Amino acid sequence: MPMEWTKEMQQLVGEERLLLENEQVEKLSKDYYWYSPVLEPLLRDKRADGVVVPETEEQAARALALAYRSGIPVTTRGAGTGNYGQAVPLEGGIVLDLSKLDRVIEIGGDYARVQAGVRLGALEKRLREQGKELRIYPSTFMKATVGGFVCGGSGGIGSITWGNLWDGNVLEAVVLTMEEVPRRLAVKGEELAAYIHNYGTTGVLTELVIPISEKTEWTQTVAQFDDFASASRFAHAVAVDDSIRKRLVAPVEWPIPSFFKPIAKRLESGSSACLLETAEGTESALAAHAAAAGGRVGYTIPSDQYRKIIGLSDFTWNHTTLWALKADPSLTYLQAGFHPTDFPEQIARIKAEFGDEVLMHLEFMRSGGVVVPAALPIVRFTTQERLYEIIAFFRANGVSINDPHTWMLEAGGRGELDAMLRAKRANDPKGLLNPGKLQVPVQSTVEER
């Protein structure tokens, strides 16, 4: 692409906030798409022409206005911890790195108002110092930004109590449109559906209000079982036991625990495990549930060590996949949703069909108030065709799949697509925001006119 725009961009945002050096641009054009052996060869050579790193919302708006006038695609970026190529520019142009919009604006009794680039780990630390804490966050929270999580994530640690992002875990967003004069929208209520998990395709989020909760002293526990069926039965019993306050309930099948090198020596060899964060004082209740399922409590991290040593959440959600990849690069993963109560039968059919080709990893969470076993099973990758045979088997047995091996929002099955399409047409008339990630049907556009 012709680069005549660079001098004007430097004048608008400052020379030091426009990055053009090859190594910097290459690094900031990537995310964790390499989790997928399908995406890796397709995205490895994609890169921006330049990176703009605004330090104020006004600078971000100026950059968007110039990009609009010049017809330059813009891909927003937080910390680049997404797994589907959300932050990879498919058509070059500008990566708009919002990590310097990192001001905590206000902490109220039950909410925090922050700029999009605030890191979740830093926010959690600050909140806990004030007797508060985050409700939900991803396993990458030490690096991940609030805006990146809202635009590229869905659920995480805390979701067993508070649900996913759509369950009231975003209260308000400030959005810049991609127009000649970008509008500043304050979005609340049902309108938020167009901006949660949108990959930056429908507008640029610069500020967010998220709910927070009172601080809890968390004990971390590993329960061990001779088989995964027992581990998942225990996990479900704990997940639906409202007398136990919890932040994490994550059963994993052996040999997945052997991949967790920093704590592997503390875990039973050959045993499936359930990783938990529960409120201090719930240890006896966990032990009773474990005994009822034929298991036992093993490694425990007391509450006074929370955040002082490596925690169990560092081995859950998609960090489980990361540890598996470190142990064996031929492994990959899926994102699945099992039936709230029939999941044992669904898992049994999958294991009977695939054996160790598919290793089970569940994350119990609430979705719309219902406890459900979300899953990020580990899959041994051989060919793309075989991977999609496995996906087809899951779906044929009533297990939903949000495909993590595509960058397209529609094919991945994530987000509120109708709301996104309406916002895309209104806020991005030239289709310059992260093009290729959300397809706007031509017929629908004609009909609306």
Side-chain angles (χ1 to χ4, degrees), residues 185-196 419 423:
L185 309 177
V187 181
K188 300 180 181 179
E190 293 182 357
E191 292 182 359
L192 286 165
Y195 303 98
I196 295 174

Side-chain angles (χ1 to χ4, degrees), residues 299-375:
Y299 178 45
T300 299
I301 304 173
S303 60
D304 62 5
Q305 293 299 300
Y306 197 62
R307 305 287 189 230
K308 295 180 180 178
I309 61 174
I310 191 167
L312 296 184
S313 66
D314 289 302
F315 305 97
T316 63
W317 291 88
N318 240 338
H319 261 67
T320 306
T321 311
L322 180 60
W323 289 106
L325 282 167
K326 287 181 177 180
D328 184 347
S330 73
L331 298 175
T332 187
Y333 75 115
L334 295 176
Q335 294 180 153
F338 284 85
H339 189 275
T341 56
D342 296 343
F343 67 90
E345 292 77 18
Q346 292 174 317
I347 291 171
R349 290 194 290 272
I350 289 167
K351 292 302 296 182
E353 180 72 16
F354 299 112
D356 288 345
E357 189 177 3
V358 176
L359 299 174
M360 296 311 303
H361 163 208
L362 304 182
E363 295 285 350
F364 280 86
M365 64 180 292
R366 290 183 185 272
S367 180
V370 178
V371 172
V372 296

Side-chain angles (χ1 to χ4, degrees), residues 110-391:
D110 58 359
Y111 69 91
R113 181 182 291 274
V114 300
Q115 289 187 308
V118 167
R119 294 188 185 270
L120 285 157
L123 181 57
E124 166 83 346
K125 182 176 185 295
R126 180 166 171 175
L127 289 172
R128 287 182 68 84
E129 289 170 351
Q130 299 182 28
K132 309 287 184 180
E133 65 185 17
L134 295 170
R135 293 203 336 185
I136 66 171
Y137 56 91
S139 58
T140 55
F141 80 112
M142 290 306 295
K143 292 182 179 179
T145 64
V146 178
F149 181 42
V150 170
C151 291
S154 55
I157 295 92
S159 286
I160 182 56
T161 296
W162 299 107
N164 58 36
L165 287 168
W166 295 270
D167 289 319
N169 286 303
V170 185
L171 301 177
E172 185 178 340
V174 171
V175 179
L176 297 179
T177 64
M178 184 66 169
E179 299 175 278
E180 185 173 3
V181 179
R183 288 172 291 140
R184 185 182 192 270
L185 309 177
V187 181
K188 300 180 181 179
E190 293 182 357
E191 292 182 359
L192 286 165
Y195 303 98
I196 295 174
H197 204 87
N198 72 338
Y199 297 2
T201 59
T202 60
V204 176
L205 276 64
T206 59
E207 188 177 303
L208 291 139
V209 180
I210 58 172
I212 58 177
S213 63
E214 296 298 318
K215 174 183 174 182
T216 296
E217 299 297 340
W218 298 107
T219 297
Q220 300 169 82
T221 307
V222 179
Q224 308 272 193
F225 301 87
D226 295 337
D227 55 77
F228 185 73
S230 299
S232 61
R233 186 168 66 251
F234 159 82
H236 181 253
V238 173
V240 299
D241 185 346
D242 289 337
S243 71
I244 300 175
R245 186 171 179 82
K246 45 202 168 277
R247 216 177 196 190
L248 181 70
V249 182
V252 290
E253 181 183 7
W254 182 266
I256 293 174
S258 70
F259 303 153
F260 304 155
K261 295 305 181 185
I263 61 170
K265 290 182 179 179
R266 298 179 178 270
L267 309 180
E268 291 180 6
S269 179
S271 295
S272 291
C274 184
L275 282 60
L276 305 118
E277 282 189 23
T278 63
E280 186 179 47
T282 57
E283 294 86 342
S284 60
L286 291 181
H289 277 300
R296 54 262 163 213
V297 170
Y299 178 45
T300 299
I301 304 173
S303 60
D304 62 5
Q305 293 299 300
Y306 197 62
R307 305 287 189 230
K308 295 180 180 178
I309 61 174
I310 191 167
L312 296 184
S313 66
D314 289 302
F315 305 97
T316 63
W317 291 88
N318 240 338
H319 261 67
T320 306
T321 311
L322 180 60
W323 289 106
L325 282 167
K326 287 181 177 180
D328 184 347
S330 73
L331 298 175
T332 187
Y333 75 115
L334 295 176
Q335 294 180 153
F338 284 85
H339 189 275
T341 56
D342 296 343
F343 67 90
E345 292 77 18
Q346 292 174 317
I347 291 171
R349 290 194 290 272
I350 289 167
K351 292 302 296 182
E353 180 72 16
F354 299 112
D356 288 345
E357 189 177 3
V358 176
L359 299 174
M360 296 311 303
H361 163 208
L362 304 182
E363 295 285 350
F364 280 86
M365 64 180 292
R366 290 183 185 272
S367 180
V370 178
V371 172
V372 296
L376 296 107
I378 302 297
V379 177
R380 185 165 300 282
F381 181 80
T382 50
T383 66
Q384 185 170 339
E385 291 72 22
R386 178 59 172 171
L387 179 64
Y388 281 92
E389 287 175 6
I390 295 170
I391 289 174

Side-chain angles (χ1 to χ4, degrees), residues 43-116:
L43 294 179
R44 68 167 71 122
D45 296 327
K46 302 294 185 183
R47 67 191 298 277
D49 298 292
V51 178
V52 177
V53 190
E55 293 185 345
T56 66
E57 187 179 278
E58 292 74 20
Q59 290 172 357
R62 288 180 212 144
L64 290 172
L66 173 56
Y68 181 86
R69 292 195 302 272
S70 304
I72 302 170
V74 174
T75 302
T76 54
R77 173 189 173 88
T81 59
N83 305 113
Y84 327 116
Q86 298 105 308
V88 177
L90 299 181
E91 300 180 13
I94 292 168
V95 162
L96 188 66
D97 182 338
L98 299 175
S99 61
K100 295 298 184 183
L101 295 182
D102 58 358
R103 186 163 58 92
V104 176
I105 299 167
E106 180 187 6
I107 295 176
D110 58 359
Y111 69 91
R113 181 182 291 274
V114 300
Q115 289 187 308

